[in-house]
Amino acid sequence: MDDIKVNQNPKLGSMDRPNSYIGRSLPRENAKKHLEGGGQFVDDLVLPRMLHVAFLRSPFAHAEIKSINVEEAKTSLGVFDVYTSKEIDEYCTPWVGTLGHLGEMRSPEQTPLAEKIVRWQGEPIAVVIANNRAQAEDALELIEVDWEEKDAQVDMETALDDNAVIIHPELGSNLFWTRTVNQGDVNQAFETSHAVVETTLDFARHTGVTLESRGIVADWNKAEGKITIYHNGQAPHMMQHIIAKHLEINEGLVRIVSRDVGGSFGIKVHVYPDEMAVAAISKKLGRPIKFIADRLESFTTDIHARCHKISGKLGIDKEGKILAMEINDLSGIGPFSMYPRTSAIETNQVLNLSGAPYVIPNYKAVGTVVFQNKTPMCQYRAVGHPIAVAITEALIDKAANKIDIGLSEIRKKNFIPDNAYPNKTPSGVPLEDLSHQASMDKLLTMMNIQEIEKEKIANLDKNVLSGYGVISMCEVTNPSPLFYGVGGAHISSQDGASIRLEGSGAIHLSSSITEQGQGTEAIMKQIAADQLGVSMDSVRVTLGDTDATPYGGGTWASRGAGIGGEAVLKAARTLKDNILDIAAAIMQTDKNSLDVENNTVIRKNGGEGITLQQLAETVYYRGHELPKGTNPELLATASFLIEGIPFVFTNSAMGCKVSIHQDTGIIKIDKFWAVEDCGTQINPKLVEEQIRGGVIQGIGGALFEECVYDDQGNMQNATMADYLVPMAYEMPDIIVDHVTTNSGRSIIGAKGAGEAGTGGAPAVIMNAINNALNQLGKEVVSQPITPEKILRALGKI
Amino acid sequence: MKAPDFSYFEAQNIEDAIKYKSEDDEAVILAGGQSLLPALNMRLSSPSCLIDISKINNLNEIKIEGDFINIGALATHSDVMNNDLVREKYPCLVDILKMVAHAAIRNKGTHGGSIAYGDPAAELPAFAVAMDAEIVLSGLSGQRIVNAKDFYLGLFETDLKSDEILTAIRYPFLSHNQHLIFDEVCRRHGDYAMAGLMAKVELDQSKINNLDLVYFATGDKPNVAQNTARLVIDNGYDYEKLKKSLASEIDFAGDLNSSSEMKLHLATILINKILNKLER
Ligand SMILES: Cc1cc2nc3c(=O)[nH]c(=O)nc-3n(C[C@H](O)[C@H](O)[C@H](O)COP(=O)(O)OP(=O)(O)OC[C@H]3O[C@@H](n4cnc5c(N)ncnc54)[C@H](O)[C@@H]3O)c2cc1C
């Protein structure tokens, strides 16, 4: 057990007792399984009588289907049938991606297959059902469609113009949603400011690029009236409700199974038309149907994210104290708001989170979300954070430069002090248990900025522009019912855990949290074993099966450890209590003189104990030996949810140093530093993996990733060769450290840690680049920051 | 993304492959499959038959023949990089291949496949042109040798006849005063370049006597910049002059990662990078 970290949470007991696993970097067992190729993903599943599908997708961003002829395709080798919206709509009711708690949202009904009008390139219009995918694809080529191409509204910036193409005529305009936040009086504050700085930033669309693409096998069993859906999603109980509602099946007879899932990043928590079609087809045919998105389909139909243009203004006094901040954000979400979470949340987070680490007495934020003829956009890892953090931190750097004070100095002047919580974001969202001051201090000791400043000057001679940035940010984690449930979505903010002692002495744990590769199973095991006093290898975990796990929300918004983990802790404590009651009865002693260590009930004062196996055998097989009235319950279930506040926030400070080659525009991230305060770290190594992985995804957004469209709305780079994600060579050293402020909302005290890296990296990288370019009086304002953009900024081309 | 139906023929020798190919216009040669198979899966082409030449014996040999090093068409990029002869006689080729894709692709992708495919962004065609390599082609009427300079005709268009298979590439040895220097600029390591340059330099003492500049990832095929090379010999590095010359000599074609202006700029500064490397 190397890598022992001090667990700074007194509520969890000391670390030098047997089976103290919370706070240790233990290896996760399921990593070995994957390394051996022993995982079970949706595509591994082969069911008897299973058929495969391929979708005919719109080649146009906006067009009318004049007619469609599937007759020849039906005769193609291996084809079972070909359906259009007519057949599918009989088995699946339409849905609408709006919620009630955030003001008026306007989005029309959506069906699995488009009937007359297609509104993005990739929208499905017909489906071939065949013996295998290749045969289904062969038949796609035989479907005849008479298209009438329409003008497409591709550019979000002109979507509200008078002469815009109106995508949904019944709505009268392309406006989906708008919100204004107004705290204090920004105009007056700008007037009295010593200096006001402004900027406008652009964020390209990008997407999640999960290792395993979306996949589903739907299996309708007519005799039982039950549908089983194997699905690589993040929220099985949400899907259970959705399938029941739209296929009109009793919700109790919908089973969603999500075994191994190869990455999700928020991509897999939404309802996709093709997946709904697959469920409908299974119900229509009474046969298992498989659909696995190929990479081309992933790029044109997985949700995209970002796609923002945001302008901001910051007013400061002489000392650099912030007096006011104003932002105006525009975002384009494709032709529909996604179901059921809506596509308003990213912009909402931008408005909520901008300026969050700082005291900003006057704050105004306007968000506008419009429709366009591109792939639908929705929540992806670090929803809204990159935009909120980038605009805030870009403005702060500009303010610092304006009055010539240090980059960390201006931040320290404006932080909400660590001892001033509970507090609120400038937008009015409650904050508690944060540590911007301590985190920044720690970051600065890691970075050695004086050295970097010296290097900056030395590098100028070598035709290299060096620069650095430091930022602070808040990360939304552990959401309460105020996130979705309050708006009418059937998305649980509660999670459950069930834990039992079996006859063999083994512990079985099930949880409503799911795993997509982040190590959920490992931390659940650690919490259970730690709290029960058993070895790690005696705990077995079941996740991702609505027939087998407690009810709950699943994995998204960095909630697994903080909410799901707390439920495990509570269930384990109850089970242990029951075990001690039974042991006290068997051992004829006072319960308080007993404890559990190494799978054995021990007498604290010495003397012989009994193993959990002996205890379980007694209860299960020889119950008659127990004193009368002993409660034989060796199963405990508990739930947890966050009450009273919308979110539990995590905070981070990040720094980075970059070098830019002046001739080529190539940007190298020399080093990256992150200090994270996520409260108790159940497994520090897994926390650091989350932060590093998040940072890498943030590097992708900042420097590489972009869904490139032409003027007609055709995606130009829908392959892994053309859509650039950072790879090993592009990954810098990422040094991670921590400050620990436990959340007061739970016993464990864990906050989430899954999204800060992705949320903060784009801001700090952009600031570092602009810190470098600023030596020549230049800047870049558009992500991804490509070599060509650098050269254009430098006036080289 | 499943390939359309095709038949498959595993050739045991070159003669069979040539015969089969000459009988079926729509059959294509399969070597390492690293360029062909993705194109099939994307349904960008639908050949009638794949003639797999990868099992043919001895077609991956690397050997010295007179003043040439002869690389068999089926030698994979990894075979070439790890070959002792190449390491000794042609260390620059090892450095070039390090920039070709990633290890997994280099283990399958073949030298001949890359030369025959003629991707304008690929390193090896430009290398072959700069080195004045001889390309050995076998067809129904026997063997012929085409100079690399004459082999590349246009975008993915080569002098390979429909019954022909590329069997080897023969690179002449560099003399003691000749150097092959290359550089490229990519978005990510292992990507096709935004622009790249193969320069064959002949020195007289430290003065450049002769210079061949061959660009890749700039236009429709390996682009030879003769006039610009002359300017470099005469005047050394002058950014504006060279840029102007390159613009008149090469029809720069932009792509997703770099516009034509970007490519022109990079092509120009690559000359400076090459000259700097020469000094070292
Ligand atoms: C992700 C990725 C990145 C890559 N990056 C680079 C890079 O940076 N630089 C680079 O240069 N290449 C790159 N490549 C391409 C790689 O080098 C290929 O291996 C090479 O271009 C083709 O070789 P192959 O043996 O795989 O040919 P195949 O794919 O088998 O064939 C390609 C074409 O050449 C024809 N052909 C092949 N061999 C012969 C022959 N002996 N005679 C006649 N015709 C023949 C085939 O009919 C086919 O049309 C990359 C490939 C991938 C997948």
Side-chain angles (χ1 to χ4, degrees):
Chain A
M1 255 180 247
D2 5 297
D3 233 335
I4 294 179
K5 303 255 165 142
V6 184
N7 162 6
Q8 298 175 11
N9 185 346
K11 294 183 202 160
L12 292 171
S14 97
M15 297 262 317
D16 48 340
R17 66 194 151 88
N19 315 113
S20 79
Y21 300 117
I22 297 178
R24 290 183 200 272
S25 292
L26 302 177
R28 52 174 161 153
E29 221 175 282
N30 60 2
K32 181 165 164 277
K33 172 182 83 177
H34 290 306
L35 206 58
E36 288 186 11
Q40 206 205 47
F41 297 88
V42 176
D43 202 19
D44 292 322
L45 193 70
V46 177
L47 297 180
R49 301 174 64 248
M50 187 168 79
L51 294 170
H52 300 254
V53 297
F55 289 90
L56 182 68
R57 296 178 182 279
S58 169
F60 304 112
H62 200 191
E64 185 175 338
I65 303 167
K66 288 292 194 191
S67 68
I68 179 163
N69 183 345
V70 299
E71 292 314 311
E72 198 187 343
K74 282 185 184 175
T75 65
S76 185
L77 186 70
V79 170
F80 185 83
D81 213 340
V82 183
Y83 297 152
T84 58
S85 65
K86 186 165 72 267
E87 289 86 0
I88 302 294
D89 287 351
E90 268 179 57
Y91 287 85
C92 182
T93 62
W95 58 87
V96 180
T98 60
L99 286 174
H101 62 311
L102 296 171
E104 191 198 3
M105 295 182 194
R106 311 171 337 138
S107 187
E109 282 190 345
Q110 200 181 353
T111 54
L113 302 180
E115 188 198 345
K116 281 223 76 70
I117 308 283
V118 289
R119 298 178 179 87
W120 88 87
Q121 185 199 47
E123 185 168 12
I125 65 160
V127 56
V128 176
I129 305 138
N131 287 328
N132 61 52
R133 170 83 186 209
Q135 289 175 331
E137 288 188 21
D138 288 341
L140 287 183
E141 295 179 357
L142 303 174
I143 299 177
E144 286 166 32
V145 187
D146 181 10
W147 294 102
E148 186 174 299
E149 215 182 327
K150 295 160 82 83
D151 287 341
Q153 183 60 45
V154 180
D155 183 2
M156 69 173 176
E157 290 186 55
T158 59
L160 297 180
D161 287 359
D162 287 343
N163 57 352
V165 176
I166 306 294
I167 296 171
H168 304 289
E170 68 275 26
L171 298 181
S173 84
N174 291 322
L175 181 69
F176 161 56
W177 181 72
T178 175
R179 180 184 169 209
T180 300
V181 179
N182 212 340
Q183 304 276 3
D185 184 343
V186 286
N187 289 335
Q188 200 199 338
F190 284 133
E191 266 170 36
T192 57
S193 290
H194 166 73
V196 176
V197 292
E198 295 183 50
T199 194
T200 299
L201 306 179
D202 248 312
F203 298 84
R205 275 179 168 245
H206 52 105
T207 183
V209 197
T210 54
L211 202 55
E212 181 205 18
S213 62
R214 287 189 295 109
I216 182 169
V217 173
D219 184 12
W220 168 250
N221 182 324
K222 188 160 170 283
E224 290 182 322
K226 177 172 178 176
I227 195 163
T228 303
I229 293 195
Y230 304 89
H231 181 233
N232 56 16
Q234 301 171 231
H237 284 102
M238 180 196 91
M239 273 311 278
Q240 180 186 40
H241 170 75
I242 302 273
I243 294 290
K245 180 171 172 187
H246 295 285
L247 268 67
E248 296 174 332
I249 301 170
N250 176 342
E251 191 164 327
L253 292 172
V254 177
R255 179 184 176 204
I256 309 286
V257 183
S258 300
R259 294 257 154 75
D260 290 313
V261 178
S264 53
F265 316 120
I267 298 299
K268 295 175 177 167
V269 78
H270 310 292
V271 172
Y272 288 93
D274 44 24
E275 296 174 16
M276 294 303 282
V278 167
I281 296 166
S282 178
K283 189 162 178 228
K284 180 172 163 67
L285 298 180
R287 291 180 70 161
I289 307 289
K290 180 187 274 189
F291 165 65
I292 306 292
D294 65 28
R295 197 51 77 176
L296 185 62
E297 290 178 301
S298 300
F299 276 117
T300 56
T301 68
D302 284 6
I303 56 117
H304 293 175
R306 317 309 181 221
C307 193
H308 287 257
K309 186 176 190 103
I310 185 166
S311 55
K313 212 167 147 182
L314 194 79
I316 50 168
D317 71 10
K318 266 205 207 67
E319 272 72 53
K321 269 207 157 282
I322 301 171
L323 300 176
M325 177 173 180
E326 181 173 359
I327 56 167
N328 196 329
D329 181 59
L330 174 69
S331 171
I333 56 160
F336 292 100
S337 167
M338 284 297 282
Y339 181 63
R341 284 161 198 256
T342 84
S343 303
I345 306 300
E346 175 137 302
T347 294
N348 199 44
Q349 298 289 46
V350 174
L351 308 194
N352 281 346
L353 296 178
S354 291
Y358 307 105
V359 178
I360 303 180
N362 301 285
Y363 177 78
K364 184 172 177 193
V366 180
T368 308
V369 184
V370 299
F371 294 118
Q372 56 183 169
N373 292 114
K374 288 183 178 175
T375 297
M377 196 210 84
C378 198
Q379 284 81 284
Y380 155 65
R381 191 176 193 176
V383 185
H385 293 60
I387 291 102
V389 182
I391 190 72
T392 307
E393 301 295 319
L395 288 169
I396 290 182
D397 271 17
K398 273 189 186 274
N401 292 341
K402 184 104 180 186
I403 58 167
D404 206 17
I405 66 172
L407 300 179
S408 56
E409 195 188 338
I410 189 166
R411 288 173 169 79
K412 288 185 184 180
K413 268 190 187 171
N414 288 289
F415 282 141
I416 299 174
D418 293 355
N419 61 9
Y421 291 96
N423 213 305
K424 280 189 165 142
T425 65
S427 59
V429 179
L431 297 169
E432 36 183 52
D433 308 319
L434 298 179
S435 63
H436 293 294
Q437 292 175 320
S439 298
M440 180 58 72
D441 286 343
K442 189 161 226 172
L443 180 77
L444 295 173
T445 59
M446 290 157 72
M447 281 180 71
N448 196 351
I449 284 174
Q450 269 135 357
E451 268 313 300
I452 299 176
E453 289 280 13
K454 271 190 227 152
E455 212 184 309
K456 258 177 89 167
I457 295 163
N459 277 347
L460 272 178
D461 291 341
K462 295 183 229 152
N463 214 11
V464 169
L465 294 169
S466 294
Y468 70 94
V470 291
I471 61 129
S472 288
M473 64 170 291
C474 290
E475 177 195 350
V476 165
T477 80
N478 301 359
S480 80
L482 300 178
F483 202 19
Y484 289 115
V486 68
H490 285 224
I491 296 171
S492 172
S493 45
Q494 171 281 155
D495 274 276
S498 184
I499 184 164
R500 65 178 185 248
L501 174 63
E502 300 186 335
S504 64
I507 302 294
H508 180 267
L509 162 69
S510 59
S511 158
S512 53
I513 298 291
T514 54
E515 159 117 38
Q516 293 85 28
Q518 59 276 75
T520 308
E521 203 178 300
I523 61 161
M524 298 286 167
K525 255 188 202 187
Q526 279 178 256
I527 297 167
D530 180 289
Q531 293 297 300
L532 282 169
V534 302
S535 63
M536 287 285 288
D537 63 4
S538 47
V539 185
R540 202 172 79 252
V541 181
T542 297
L543 305 172
D545 185 343
T546 55
D547 269 9
T549 69
Y551 200 86
T555 295
W556 41 275
S558 297
R559 61 195 296 288
I563 297 177
E566 185 76 1
V568 173
L569 176 130
K570 287 172 69 183
R573 286 190 171 183
T574 304
L575 177 61
K576 180 172 170 186
D577 205 50
N578 291 358
I579 287 170
L580 292 180
D581 276 336
I582 295 167
I586 294 173
M587 294 158 82
Q588 301 284 304
T589 179
D590 175 19
K591 177 181 171 186
N592 293 325
S593 70
L594 302 175
D595 202 351
V596 185
E597 276 180 7
N598 293 322
N599 306 55
T600 301
V601 181
I602 55 148
R603 294 175 196 270
K604 288 184 198 162
N605 309 326
E608 210 184 331
I610 59 168
T611 65
L612 291 185
Q613 183 177 358
Q614 287 167 335
L615 180 139
E617 284 176 355
T618 308
V619 172
Y620 289 127
Y621 314 132
R622 300 186 309 279
H624 61 282
E625 290 176 7
L626 293 172
K628 234 188 154 94
T630 307
N631 176 8
E633 196 142 32
L634 290 175
L635 168 69
T637 295
S639 283
F640 184 68
L641 91 157
I642 298 291
E643 286 170 292
I645 47 165
F647 315 102
V648 172
F649 281 95
T650 287
N651 67 277
S652 304
M654 293 182 202
C656 108
K657 174 175 164 292
V658 301
S659 307
I660 301 168
H661 199 281
Q662 291 202 46
D663 279 341
T664 59
I666 297 282
I667 302 156
K668 184 166 176 289
I669 301 177
D670 300 319
K671 210 160 198 166
F672 198 103
W673 297 267
V675 176
E676 172 99 343
D677 185 347
C678 61
T680 297
Q681 298 171 60
I682 296 157
N683 183 323
K685 193 175 266 169
L686 288 179
V687 169
E688 293 186 4
E689 277 182 28
Q690 281 300 306
I691 293 165
R692 290 204 178 88
V695 167
I696 303 297
Q697 243 167 343
I699 292 173
L703 301 184
F704 296 104
E705 297 184 45
E706 175 171 11
C707 302
V708 181
Y709 281 87
D710 70 10
D711 296 345
Q712 273 78 49
N714 301 306
M715 191 172 166
Q716 301 289 290
N717 60 340
T719 75
M720 290 298 288
D722 297 320
Y723 179 98
L724 308 184
V725 295
M727 300 203 286
Y729 239 85
E730 286 71 49
M731 298 177 190
D733 271 356
I734 301 169
I735 322 285
V736 182
D737 209 335
H738 307 272
V739 167
T740 304
T741 314
N742 295 314
S743 166
R745 295 275 158 183
S746 62
I747 298 165
I748 295 186
K751 315 167 191 170
E755 298 172 89
T758 313
V764 71
I765 291 167
M766 192 174 213
N767 278 9
I769 289 170
N770 281 334
N771 180 263
L773 297 182
N774 194 33
Q775 294 170 96
L776 302 179
K778 311 288 185 195
E779 67 169 349
V780 285
V781 291
S782 152
Q783 295 191 8
I785 305 166
T786 63
E788 180 149 355
K789 286 180 189 169
I790 294 282
L791 292 181
R792 288 193 188 278
L794 291 174
K796 302 259 177 173
I797 53 174
Chain B
M1 262 195 236
K2 304 282 179 201
D5 263 358
F6 52 79
S7 55
Y8 173 85
F9 174 68
E10 191 180 288
Q12 301 304 319
N13 54 57
I14 298 175
E15 292 73 28
D16 280 0
I18 292 170
K19 185 164 165 290
Y20 214 96
K21 182 104 185 8
S22 66
E23 286 164 6
D24 183 350
D25 254 3
E26 284 171 26
V28 298
I29 301 292
L30 171 68
Q34 297 304 292
S35 297
L36 181 57
L37 296 185
L40 289 186
N41 283 346
M42 301 281 277
R43 296 197 175 218
L44 296 174
S45 74
S46 49
S48 56
C49 174
L50 298 190
I51 304 170
D52 186 351
I53 59 169
S54 66
K55 306 284 155 48
I56 297 178
N57 278 336
N58 304 330
L59 215 52
N60 62 351
E61 260 179 7
I62 299 170
K63 58 190 179 208
I64 291 182
E65 278 181 358
D67 291 337
F68 293 87
I69 184 161
N70 185 100
I71 299 184
L74 287 180
T76 64
H77 302 318
S78 301
D79 289 342
V80 177
M81 289 169 78
N82 295 315
N83 181 276
D84 288 339
L85 278 177
V86 174
R87 286 171 165 271
E88 189 196 322
K89 304 277 186 193
Y90 258 110
C92 61
L93 183 51
V94 179
D95 292 333
I96 290 167
L97 287 171
K98 281 184 195 157
M99 305 304 284
V100 174
H102 307 274
I105 292 158
R106 293 196 295 258
N107 284 341
K108 293 291 279 181
T110 64
H111 202 81
S114 182
I115 296 285
Y117 190 51
D119 189 325
E123 283 83 355
L124 293 181
F127 175 70
V129 171
M131 286 309 305
D132 230 343
E134 294 183 347
I135 294 177
V136 186
L137 307 170
S138 295
L140 282 177
S141 52
Q143 202 180 64
R144 69 184 178 112
I145 288 179
V146 181
N147 200 291
K149 278 203 198 78
D150 305 321
F151 185 66
Y152 295 104
L153 304 176
L155 190 61
F156 291 105
E157 201 191 324
T158 65
D159 188 31
L160 190 77
K161 302 281 183 297
S162 66
D163 64 321
E164 283 179 331
I165 289 174
L166 190 160
T167 52
I169 299 98
R170 292 152 47 91
Y171 296 100
F173 289 128
L174 290 164
S175 62
H176 70 279
N177 62 341
Q178 286 181 327
H179 304 271
L180 191 288
I181 304 176
F182 98 104
D183 209 337
E184 64 180 56
V185 185
C186 327
R187 291 284 304 274
R188 299 178 304 182
H189 181 84
D191 277 349
Y192 284 112
M194 293 186 279
L197 174 58
M198 300 284 168
K200 193 168 84 178
V201 193
E202 196 181 289
L203 289 179
D204 179 8
Q205 310 291 14
S206 65
K207 196 179 143 317
I208 300 178
N209 225 357
N210 209 342
L211 177 67
D212 290 304
L213 298 177
V214 184
Y215 285 97
F216 54 100
T218 45
D220 58 345
K221 58 179 186 176
N223 294 126
V224 182
Q226 225 167 347
N227 302 337
T228 310
R230 193 68 254 164
L231 274 182
V232 176
I233 297 174
D234 293 346
N235 306 329
Y237 184 72
D238 176 330
Y239 177 83
E240 291 302 336
K241 277 210 183 101
L242 294 177
K243 186 168 168 178
K244 211 165 144 207
S245 165
L246 283 169
S248 67
E249 233 178 338
I250 296 174
D251 194 4
F252 288 90
D255 56 35
L256 280 172
N257 289 317
S258 47
S259 65
S260 52
E261 296 105 295
M262 173 85 171
K263 286 184 187 288
L264 171 59
H265 166 79
L266 291 177
T268 316
I269 64 110
L270 275 168
I271 297 176
N272 195 31
K273 293 183 90 177
I274 297 273
L275 295 176
N276 288 339
K277 279 192 181 181
L278 193 63
E279 272 169 29
R280 270 187 266 132

